[in-house]
Amino acid sequence: MKRALAILLLLTFFGSASANAHQPVELISTDTTAAKGPLLLDGTVSFAVRASFNKAGEKRAFRADFKAGDALAVQYLILDKKPENALKNTLLPQLVLTSPSGKSVTLKFTERTKFFEPYGKTNYLYLSRYNAKAEAGTYSFMLTSRAKSAVTIAVGEREVPGEVIRGAKPTPTPTPTPTTTKASYTMDDVKKRSTSSACWSVIDRNVYDLTKWIPAHRGGPQAILFLCGKDGTSAYKAQHEGASTPMSALSNYFIGPLTP
Ligand code: HEM
């Protein structure tokens, strides 16, 4: 995974006293598509996503992830000051929400409710609120400006610290696959690996690549070197038969069965 991933806001949480202490996220000029914009990893956590525009026709976008049935709560706010509060609704940025299955909604401006945000000591106006049950997956939020203006899109209601990332989502690290695994091995294959730089051994008709175990063995490297390139069953059993720790250490080095 490339390090294109940046955790932007983890601890900039404002506190939990107010139902409106949304965690701030600033959209930047390169956030022109949902894929380029930030991703709110849990859309139920309260975020305040801010975007500002210099002129008509500019785009800013972001994404938010939800689980099926999560509360999707979106509010459209503007500052209660010029130029925004003097703009007609038709000149304010348009917000289009697209669900993971591709259903789009354009937020309608249905109110102009004053709201004082005590943390930032800022006067806002609510213009629209949208509530729905979320589909599972990533929603995209696309803002398109129609004049010089700025908006705040509040998403989520849970007052806990949230995570915001840019770029691709972190993918689980794939399990490393051994490069040498084959269906089975012959005793000849084993005989060819009889040194400290390639040490294979057979124990109970299973083939093990013990190369990396040589320096790690608690009982010393010599004991393992002694098994390289041959059937080590009796030496192993003489020391460790019935013991679970050596058996579980051994299992890490299994590469395949000995050919019948
Ligand atoms: C592939 C073969 C082997 C594996 C995977 C293996 C694994 C282990 C492990 C995991 C331990 C630590 C056990 C514990 O403390 O719980 C151990 C200790 C030991 N092993 Fe082995 N072993 C192998 C072969 C041998 C052989 C052939 C000998 C004898 C010639 C031997 C002699 C010892 C001795 C003496 C200890 C005790 C060291 C100590 O506790 O200070 N091992 N081995």
Side-chain angles (χ1 to χ4, degrees):
M1 227 316 310
K2 283 192 211 122
R3 291 279 141 208
L5 183 80
I7 309 249
L8 294 180
L9 293 154
L10 200 57
L11 300 166
T12 41
F13 182 58
F14 276 179
S16 56
S18 163
N20 296 293
H22 286 67
Q23 189 169 316
V25 176
E26 213 69 50
L27 296 185
I28 53 176
S29 59
T30 51
D31 295 335
T32 50
T33 64
K36 289 183 191 164
L39 168 66
L40 316 179
L41 280 185
D42 181 346
T44 67
V45 172
S46 71
F47 289 98
V49 183
R50 296 181 192 138
S52 50
F53 302 93
N54 293 315
K55 55 179 191 321
E58 292 179 341
K59 294 200 182 290
R60 296 284 184 278
F62 64 97
R63 297 161 287 162
D65 273 2
F66 291 88
K67 295 194 292 297
D70 273 352
L72 168 63
V74 181
Q75 293 128 29
Y76 186 115
L77 300 116
I78 57 167
L79 292 178
D80 191 5
K81 72 177 187 40
K82 283 185 177 142
E84 286 81 34
N85 68 356
L87 285 175
K88 281 191 214 143
N89 283 352
T90 52
L91 289 178
L92 286 166
Q94 190 188 52
L95 174 61
V96 179
L97 248 83
T98 307
S99 78
S101 70
K103 285 185 207 114
S104 290
V105 201
T106 304
L107 256 67
K108 290 195 182 68
F109 304 127
T110 51
E111 57 179 304
R112 254 179 196 259
T113 317
K114 281 182 192 285
F115 156 64
F116 177 69
E117 196 275 289
Y119 287 88
K121 298 198 175 27
T122 315
N123 288 301
Y124 283 98
L125 291 171
Y126 274 111
L127 296 196
S128 179
R129 298 177 218 220
Y130 178 79
N131 291 291
K133 259 203 176 140
E135 294 173 17
T138 306
Y139 277 72
S140 75
F141 296 73
M142 172 59 82
L143 285 156
T144 310
S145 67
R146 296 181 283 190
K148 181 179 167 61
S149 54
V151 287
T152 298
I153 308 302
V155 180
E157 287 173 335
R158 284 197 307 123
E159 298 294 334
V160 295
E163 261 186 73
V164 184
I165 63 169
R166 283 184 183 272
K169 246 191 278 190
T171 41
T173 318
T175 322
T177 40
T179 44
T180 46
T181 359
K182 222 171 69 174
S184 65
Y185 298 93
T186 62
M187 203 56 218
D188 250 336
D189 291 329
V190 177
K191 279 183 188 156
K192 283 183 201 144
R193 278 88 176 184
S194 61
T195 67
S196 60
S197 47
C199 171
W200 288 12
S201 190
V202 177
I203 292 159
D204 278 339
R205 301 201 60 82
N206 285 322
V207 180
Y208 298 90
D209 180 351
L210 298 174
T211 317
K212 292 197 174 111
W213 180 242
I214 299 166
H217 181 226
R218 279 267 296 279
Q222 285 309 324
I224 306 305
L225 280 168
F226 178 72
L227 313 177
C228 303
K230 57 174 144 179
D231 191 316
T233 310
S234 55
Y236 175 80
K237 285 195 171 162
Q239 188 65 38
H240 290 309
E241 189 158 38
S244 63
T245 321
M247 187 35 88
S248 95
L250 190 59
S251 66
N252 295 325
Y253 303 99
F254 173 75
I255 53 171
L258 191 68
T259 320

